[in-house]
Each structure stands twice: as structure tokens, then as C-alpha cells.
């Protein structure tokens, strides 16, 4: 029995047995996933440059903590505003153009920070960076939806999302080296240039699957193998009526500020409390993010273990979130730790369990 596959392009008029699809399906979609991974890696490198250079720039520019906080807030404000419209823009103009525009904006904004002479200049550059970077995840998720069947999307999303962790680890390694070799302005220019390198590969490589010469008929059939579900467009007021919407928004409101606090202020904290400079800052930051990456598996393991023991999904995930939330509390002792590595351990554990909370909260809604 043949399974018909609906096509929007005249290039493929194809129908194949389900067994044949499983046996012959291509793998070019994973090349696309790799591009998403590298874009997300660059995204996190670019946003972390300022945090790593904060001690150096505060000393050179004479910033107060209030001024640095204002610069950071311009980025997060723009990121939030951009998130409101980025998805709609990607739907309207497509991922090929939309992703290209997003990475051009954030790469230029990242490089523009090298031209800043005061806090106002950095604030403007970071605002533009936030607008551009807000397009990364909506574009990547839409690309996954275009190139992967539903049963593979979670795995593909996990792969490209891992780029955020890799970017967080790579930035403390390369940014101090670039700064010590060529100066802090070069750090913004070089990391911003990564985006244009990626853009070349994106424009050469990416097309929608039905138009791509390297997407075989078998792979296209595999991508289109899900039952067709009619798209339902809901107005905002309908979405806001659901309890899950408000629960998710409340969780993001309470946890995201902590995430951003860690991301932008940990380098400054280590500098002020333990006297670390650019030469010595990299290793503690890499350790913090590595422990967070490894430890973030713990929340998922605990939740899954409780479910296997007969707990309900609701009870299992929320109990795991409670345990993770309590495990963050020892972070309050980090500011009083006289030993650097005790402070690093406390920050690492808190960062790790915060990642767990964010992941579990999304899954619990």
C-alpha cells in the first residue's frame, strides 16, 4: 500500500512505501540542524562578550555599577520587544531571509560596540544586539518545523539549543585571548564577524526542503510524513484566557532575570570578590558553564525517575522543580566565600539547577 505525500512544489511528485522511506531516507536535514547549532553558538558568544569584558571596560570607561546595569537592561529590553514580533516576521518573510536579517543586525551591533566611547554608545549597540538576537530562536524553531517530522523535532531542537551552552563555554576562552592580544575593541569586531562567516554558509546551503537539490524525494517524504493538521490562528485574547499561558509567563518572569543576572554579572563578581583579571577569568567561567551543562541533566533524571515510580506527570515535574529551587539557595553564601573555588562551586550548582528549573517549567505547562 502506497502512502501519498502532498507536495507544494512541482519538482517532486512522489509516493513511497513507508518501509522504503525508513530504509532510504536521506540525512541532509541534519546539515541544516548543524547550521542552527552554530548560529546559536555565535548568538551566545556575541551576547557574552560584554559580560566578560565588564571589569576591563568599567575600569577604562569609569562606569559605575548602575551604568553597567543600565547597559545590560537595554539589551534585555530590546530582546523582549523583539521576541514579540520575531516569530511573525519569520512567518511572513521566511526563514532564509529572516534568519539572514537577524544575524546581520546582531553581528553589526556586536561589532559596533567597538566604536562606543561611553555608556550611551554601548547602550545603543546592546539595544540593537538584543533586537537582532531575538530572531535566533524563532527562526531556528521554524526551520526545524520545516525540515523535520514531528517525531524528530525535539531531538533537533535539543541539538541546536546545545549551541547556547557551547557558546557560553567558548566565549570565556576566546574573548580574553583576543583582548590580551589585540585589545578589547578587537574582541567585539572578531566575534561579530563570526556571524558573517555563518551567513555565507547559510545563504549557500539553505533552501526550503521542497526546493533544495540535496533533499532527496525519500527525505522529503520523510519530512512530510506527519498527518496534515489544519493551522488554527488564535487572537491574543484567546491565548490569554488559558491558565497555562499565565503560568508560563509567571515562571519566565521569575526565572529569566536570575538567568540574565548570572550571565552578565558573574565575571564582574569574580573580579570584585576574588581579583580575577582577563588572564585568570577564563578557567573559572568555563568550569561554571561545564558544571551547569552536566548538572542540568539532573533535573530531567529526577523527574523521569519519579514518573517511573508511579508519580503523576504534574507531581513528578513540580517536585523536581521544588528540589532544584531549594538547591539554588546555597548561592547566597557565594559572596562570603573566601576561597575562589568554593565560590565557583556554589555558583556552578546554582546555575545548573536554574537551568533545570527553566526546562522543567516549560515541560510542566
Amino acid at each position: 500500500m502506497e502512502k501519498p505525500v502532498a507536495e507544494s512544489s512541482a519538482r517532486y511528485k512522489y509516493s513511497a512505501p513507508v518501509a522504503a522511506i525508513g530504509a532510504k531516507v536521506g540525512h541532509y536535514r541534519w546539515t541544516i540542524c548543524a547550521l542552527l547549532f552554530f548560529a546559536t553558538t555565535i548568538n551566545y558568544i556575541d551576547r557574552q562578550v560584554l559580560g566578560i569584558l565588564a571589569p576591563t571596560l568599567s575600569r577604562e570607561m569609569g562606569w559605575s555599577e548602575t551604568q553597567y546595569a543600565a547597559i545590560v537592561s537595554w539589551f534585555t529590553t530590546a530582546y523582549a520587544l523583539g521576541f514579540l514580533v520575531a516569530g511573525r516576521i519569520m512567518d511572513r518573510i521566511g526563514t532564509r531571509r529572516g534568519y539572514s536579517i537577524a544575524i546581520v543586525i546582531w553581528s553589526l551591533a556586536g561589532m559596533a560596540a567597538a566604536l562606543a566611547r561611553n555608556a550611551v554608545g554601548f547602550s545603543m549597540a546592546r539595544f540593537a544586539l538584543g533586537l537582532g538576537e531575538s530572531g535566533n530562536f524563532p527562526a531556528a524553531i521554524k526551520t526545524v518545523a520545516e525540515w523535520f517530522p514531528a517525531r524528530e523535532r525535539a531531538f533537533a531542537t535539543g541539538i541546536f539549543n546545545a549551541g547556547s551552552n557551547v557558546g557560553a563555554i567558548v566565549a570565556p576562552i576566546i574573548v580574553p585571548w583576543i583582548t590580551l592580544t589585540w585589545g578589547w575593541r578587537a574582541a567585539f569586531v572578531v566575534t561579530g564577524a563570526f556571524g558573517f562567516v555563518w551567513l555565507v554558509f547559510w545563504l549557500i546551503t539553505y533552501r526550503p526542503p521542497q526546493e533544495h537539490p540535496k533533499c532527496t524525494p525519500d527525505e522529503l517524504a520523510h519530512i512530510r510524513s506527519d498527518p496534515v493538521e489544519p493551522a488554527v490562528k488564535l487572537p491574543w485574547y484567546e491565548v490569554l484566557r488559558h491558565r497555562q499561558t499565565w503560568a508560563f509567563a509567571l515562571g519566565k518572569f521569575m526565572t529569566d532575570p536570575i538567568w540574565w543576572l548570572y550571565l552578565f554579572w558573574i565575571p564582574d563578581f569574580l573580579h570584585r570578590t576574588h581579583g580575577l583579571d582577563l588572564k585568570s577569568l577564563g578557567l573559572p567561567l568555563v568550569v561554571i558553564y561545564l558544571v551547569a551543562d552536566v548538572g542540568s541533566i539532573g533535573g530531567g533524571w529526577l523527574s523521569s525517575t519519579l514518573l517511573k515510580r508511579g508519580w503523576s506527570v504534574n507531581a513528578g515535574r513540580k517536585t523536581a522543580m521544588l528540589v532544584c529551587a531549594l538547591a539554588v539557595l546555597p548561592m547566597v553564601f557565594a559572596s562570603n566565600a573566601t576561597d575562589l573555588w568554593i565560590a565557583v562551586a556554589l555558583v556552578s550548582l546554582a546555575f545548573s539547577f536554574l537551568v533545570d528549573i527553566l526546562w522543567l517549567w516549560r515541560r510542566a505547562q
Side-chain angles (χ1 to χ4, degrees):
M1 176 100 181
E2 300 267 309
K3 182 179 179 182
V5 179
E7 302 297 341
S8 60
S9 169
R11 192 165 68 88
Y12 293 132
K13 298 296 183 182
Y14 180 74
S15 180
V18 175
I21 293 175
K24 299 178 181 179
V25 66
H27 55 268
Y28 196 77
R29 63 195 182 282
W30 298 108
T31 300
I32 301 299
C33 187
L35 281 173
L36 304 181
F37 167 83
F38 285 114
T40 305
T41 300
I42 295 168
N43 185 277
Y44 262 72
I45 290 174
D46 287 347
R47 76 176 61 182
Q48 275 196 279
V49 176
L50 181 67
I52 294 170
L53 294 179
T56 301
L57 293 173
S58 295
R59 183 175 61 254
E60 183 167 327
M61 298 287 181
W63 294 341
S64 65
E65 290 190 1
T66 303
Q67 287 176 305
Y68 176 62
I71 294 170
V72 170
S73 70
W74 280 112
F75 171 85
T76 53
T77 299
Y79 195 84
L81 293 174
F83 238 39
L84 294 175
V85 298
R88 179 164 294 184
I89 291 173
M90 298 302 165
D91 287 339
R92 184 178 296 272
I93 67 176
T95 49
R96 177 178 163 83
R97 284 191 295 169
Y99 222 148
S100 299
I101 292 171
I103 203 163
V104 166
I105 291 173
W106 96 55
S107 297
L108 287 175
M111 299 172 78
L115 303 175
R117 295 292 184 271
N118 50 43
V120 174
F122 276 99
S123 296
M124 294 172 62
R126 295 299 285 186
F127 186 86
L129 182 71
L131 285 179
E133 290 205 345
S134 68
N136 181 75
F137 286 97
I141 291 171
K142 182 174 175 60
T143 302
V144 167
E146 291 176 346
W147 271 88
F148 290 86
R151 61 186 175 277
E152 293 181 347
R153 288 173 191 167
F155 183 51
T157 300
I159 290 175
F160 87 69
N161 193 50
S164 60
N165 300 324
V166 173
I169 294 170
V170 170
I173 297 174
I174 65 171
V175 171
W177 179 79
I178 295 171
T179 303
L180 293 171
T181 304
W182 295 300
W184 65 262
R185 297 185 191 279
F188 286 106
V189 173
V190 172
T191 54
F194 291 162
F196 290 102
V197 175
W198 180 90
L199 179 62
V200 172
F201 285 95
W202 175 254
L203 293 176
I204 292 173
T205 304
Y206 187 82
R207 297 288 188 281
Q210 68 273 11
E211 300 174 10
H212 207 295
K214 292 189 178 181
C215 181
T216 66
D218 295 302
E219 185 169 16
L220 184 62
H222 176 72
I223 294 169
R224 300 283 182 82
S225 61
D226 295 319
V228 178
E229 297 182 3
V232 178
K233 188 175 182 179
L234 292 176
W236 276 102
Y237 68 86
E238 286 288 345
V239 177
L240 295 177
R241 290 173 56 186
H242 291 277
R243 179 172 61 92
Q244 292 89 338
T245 301
W246 292 101
F248 184 82
L250 178 62
K252 292 285 286 181
F253 179 80
M254 296 177 68
T255 55
D256 275 17
I258 304 173
W259 170 264
W260 293 114
L261 176 70
Y262 285 176
L263 202 64
F264 292 128
W265 288 89
I266 285 177
D268 187 69
F269 163 74
L270 294 175
H271 169 71
R272 291 178 181 274
T273 58
H274 297 282
L276 299 189
D277 57 16
L278 277 176
K279 293 181 180 179
S280 54
L281 191 62
L283 180 59
L285 288 178
V286 170
V287 170
I288 288 171
Y289 292 120
L290 276 175
V291 172
D293 291 343
V294 175
S296 64
I297 301 170
W301 172 85
L302 177 58
S303 174
S304 299
T305 299
L306 294 176
L307 294 179
K308 290 177 182 178
R309 294 187 176 183
W311 290 47
S312 68
V313 173
N314 183 61
R317 287 178 178 162
K318 290 183 178 177
T319 299
M321 278 194 290
L322 175 61
V323 172
C324 292
L326 294 175
V328 174
L329 295 180
M331 173 66 181
V332 299
F333 300 109
S335 60
N336 296 321
T338 56
D339 183 84
L340 168 64
W341 292 105
I342 291 177
V344 167
L346 292 170
V347 173
S348 300
L349 290 173
F351 210 21
S352 171
F353 286 113
L354 177 62
V355 173
D356 284 330
I357 294 169
L358 292 168
W359 181 82
L360 289 164
W361 186 273
R362 294 187 184 104
R363 294 297 300 269
Q365 304 314 311

